[in-house]
């Protein structure tokens, strides 16, 4: 999962970088691995700063001062696959045609065939394992085909249409054309969130913002937040805004896990308040908890949330059940979100650094812990043990989400089914695996109802991690096996620890083969690192840590 942002200020003499930096800090929960900003200044000059690390560490005052220009795009990243090398920090850049900068949130499912196209037909070099760089080059290839000295908005809409025709999967994207403006678009299923807002500029005219979540607009005093529609492209210049449905929308299916976990509670996505949806999840979960506890003849003394995402749901659940709500875990706010940390051992190690259990709220009590979801079980297992270590008699774990049993192929880091604690296990077996006395899961119909009631116009959500049904199609058992072999934690450790890109997940072009089921395979890769000793942030000078 990543966060993206684009900003165009009406006054080109005012630098956009400080506001982009502030916006990225509000999206930091969506990625803590790397971040980057590229701005567009006078005469089409582009300025870049990107690196591994948190927003507050990468964008020092000196670094921001060197990012000149009144428009730009930004990105926060955590790796869903392959390498954590800083060469994969976004935004990406190509100089031809016209100078394009690109940032993306999501994941493609037909990478292999697209790489073959890049190699055999477009003759474009892909230097990293990121499908964001691949999307950028597909977009650039379609613009290149115009053969024009200067392009217009019609050409851009045609290029986005061409990209959507070729690319399959989830993608919310922002791009910037040097000296031209900002472009934003969203895949035909609308799986990943993206919206836009406006603000009156001090000297007249309008400033424009595109971002993954509405909280960025709220904080910067932008108004009229509007979600970009599935299959829609938006072009923003200082002369105005053009919007077009470049491809017919497919089944609109936003990822329901955005509401369960990823998005900030003060955001509104696709017309749905994340906060209100989590309140509704708590109300619905309370009914299931009441049913199961009655059936098992178990009483509960206190409801305690697992900070932070589950707090809203836990409070509503406690109120519905007439039970006391207590904050039993104190969180160290200087440790990142364990779910999005790369590597199982790192996640496990950081749970106890992140949370401390107060014996006062646990000792001698039957405790109902409420969490947003149970994914790998790493955090749940450690938290339950912490509760028992300080004297809890019984620990019941209630999850706002149903059992997660399937891989996510649209940009969330839960690739391996064997890493999912609920995969191949019953509810009782999950409880045993994480050390709980009882586990209670939200039902899928209740979860969907909790979110959908806030915008009935959305008829379907992507619930593939619960059902194994993928809205884009093109995902079968053989594809998942191949994906898991590329994205497993042990692969990530090999590519991330030694500082090199390693084998680029088959994302370097070369020959394509298929197995009996027709699933694509890449039989060779290209360069695994910088070429001929050049800097691996190729194309644009990087001002990060400039002396």
């Amino acid at each position: 999962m990543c966060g993206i942002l684009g900003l165009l200020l009406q006054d080109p003499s005012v630098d956009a970088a400080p506001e982009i930096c502030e916006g990225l800090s509000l999206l930091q929960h969506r990625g803590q691995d790397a971040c980057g900003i590229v701005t567009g200044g006078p005469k089409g000059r582009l300025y870049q700063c990107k690196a591994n690390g948190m927003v507050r560490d990468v964008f020092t005052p000196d670094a921001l001062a060197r990012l000149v220009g009144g428009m730009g795009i930004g990105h926060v990243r955590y790796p869903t696959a392959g390498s954590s090398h800083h060469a994969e920090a976004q935004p990406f850049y190509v100089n031809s045609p016209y100078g394009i900068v690109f940032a993306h949130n999501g994941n493609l499912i037909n990478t292999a065939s697209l790489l073959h196209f890049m190699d055999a037909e477009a003759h474009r070099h892909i230097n990293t394992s990121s499908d964001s760089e691949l999307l950028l080059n597909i977009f650039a290839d379609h613009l290149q085909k115009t053969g024009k000295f200067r392009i217009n908005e019609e050409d851009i809409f045609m290029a986005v249409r061409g990209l959507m025709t070729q690319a399959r999967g989830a993608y919310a994207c922002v791009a910037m054309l040097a000296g031209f403006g900002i472009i934003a678009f969203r895949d035909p299923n609308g799986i990943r969130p993206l919206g836009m807002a406006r603000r009156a500029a001090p000297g007249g005219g309008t400033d424009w913002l595109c971002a993954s979540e509405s909280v960025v607009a709220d904080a910067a005093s932008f108004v009229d937040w509007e979600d970009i529609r599935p299959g829609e492209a938006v072009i923003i210049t200082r002369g105005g805004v053009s919007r077009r449905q470049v491809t017919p929308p497919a089944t609109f299916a936003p990822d329901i896990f955005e509401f369960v976990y990823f998005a900030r509670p003060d955001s509104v996505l696709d017309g749905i308040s994340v906060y209100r949806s989590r309140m509704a999840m708590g109300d619905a979960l309370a009914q299931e908890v009441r049913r199961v506890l009655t059936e098992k003849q178990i009483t509960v003394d206190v409801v305690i949330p697992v900070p932070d995402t589950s707090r809203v749901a836990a409070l509503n659940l406690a109120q519905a059940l007439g039970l006391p709500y207590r904050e039993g875990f104190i969180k160290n706010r200087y440790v990142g979100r364990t779910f999005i940390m790369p590597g199982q051992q790192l996640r496990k190690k950081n749970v106890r650094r992140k949370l401390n259990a107060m014996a006062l709220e646990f000792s001698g009590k039957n405790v109902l812990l409420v969490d947003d979801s149970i994914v790998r079980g790493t955090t749940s297992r450690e938290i339950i043990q912490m509760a028992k270590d300080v004297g809890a008699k019984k620990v019941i774990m209630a999850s706002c989400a149903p059992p997660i049993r399937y891989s996510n192929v649209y940009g969330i880091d839960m690739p391996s089914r064997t890493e999912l604690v609920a995969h191949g296990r019953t509810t009782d077996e999950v409880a045993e695996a994480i050390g709980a006395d009882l586990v209670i899961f939200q039902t899928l119909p209740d979860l969907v109802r909790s979110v959908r009631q806030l915008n009935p116009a959305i008829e379907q959500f992507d619930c593939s991690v619960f059902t194994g049904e993928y809205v884009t199609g093109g995902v079968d058992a053989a594809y998942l096996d191949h994906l898991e072999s590329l994205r497993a934690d042990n692969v990530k450790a090999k590519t991330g620890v030694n500082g090199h890109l390693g084998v680029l997940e088959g994302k370097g072009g070369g020959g394509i083969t298929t197995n009996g089921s027709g699933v694509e395979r890449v039989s060779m890769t290209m360069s695994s690192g910088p070429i001929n000793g050049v800097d691996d942030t190729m194309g644009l000078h990087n001002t990060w840590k400039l002396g």
Side-chain angles (χ1 to χ4, degrees), residues 39 47-48 60-68 543-547:
T39 58
Y47 301 82
Q48 170 185 259
T60 63
D62 286 346
L64 288 175
R66 296 186 182 97
L67 295 173
V68 179
T543 63
W544 182 62
K545 284 196 174 180
L546 184 65

Side-chain angles (χ1 to χ4, degrees), residues 143 148 150-157 177 180 235:
L143 285 179
K148 291 184 176 180
R150 290 286 183 265
I151 55 171
N152 55 35
E153 293 183 355
E154 186 65 32
D155 299 321
I156 296 171
F157 284 131
L177 263 65
F180 187 91
I235 301 172

Side-chain angles (χ1 to χ4, degrees), residues 172-191:
C173 307
V174 290
M176 178 172 64
L177 263 65
F180 187 91
I182 303 289
I183 302 149
F185 55 91
R186 197 175 177 194
D187 71 77
N189 295 107
I191 297 171

Side-chain angles (χ1 to χ4, degrees), residues 93-94 159 203 211 227 241 333 382 399 407 465 537:
Y93 164 76
V94 291
D227 297 287
V241 174
R333 300 188 179 279
E382 291 293 315
S399 168
S407 300
V465 296
T537 55

Side-chain angles (χ1 to χ4, degrees), residues 155-230:
D155 299 321
I156 296 171
F157 284 131
M158 290 292 292
V160 176
R161 180 182 297 120
L163 178 150
M164 290 188 180
T165 301
Q166 285 186 271
R168 296 184 68 186
Y171 48 91
C173 307
V174 290
M176 178 172 64
L177 263 65
F180 187 91
I182 303 289
I183 302 149
F185 55 91
R186 197 175 177 194
D187 71 77
N189 295 107
I191 297 171
R192 292 281 153 249
L194 185 62
M196 59 186 290
R198 71 181 78 199
R199 180 181 66 189
T206 304
D207 298 333
W208 291 94
L209 171 78
C210 299
S212 295
E213 297 187 29
S214 65
V215 64
V216 181
D218 295 338
S221 301
F222 281 77
V223 297
D224 299 330
W225 174 267
E226 188 174 355
D227 297 287
I228 293 173
R229 295 185 294 272

Side-chain angles (χ1 to χ4, degrees), residues 282-283 286-287 290 315-323:
D283 291 336
Q287 304 310 310
R290 178 182 283 117
L315 181 57
N316 268 47
L317 180 147
Q319 290 173 341
L321 295 178
L323 292 171

Side-chain angles (χ1 to χ4, degrees), residues 102-118:
F102 196 93
H104 155 247
N105 173 30
N107 198 65
L108 300 181
I109 63 171
N110 64 330
T111 304
S113 61
L114 293 176
L115 281 163
H116 181 66
F117 170 80
M118 284 288 103

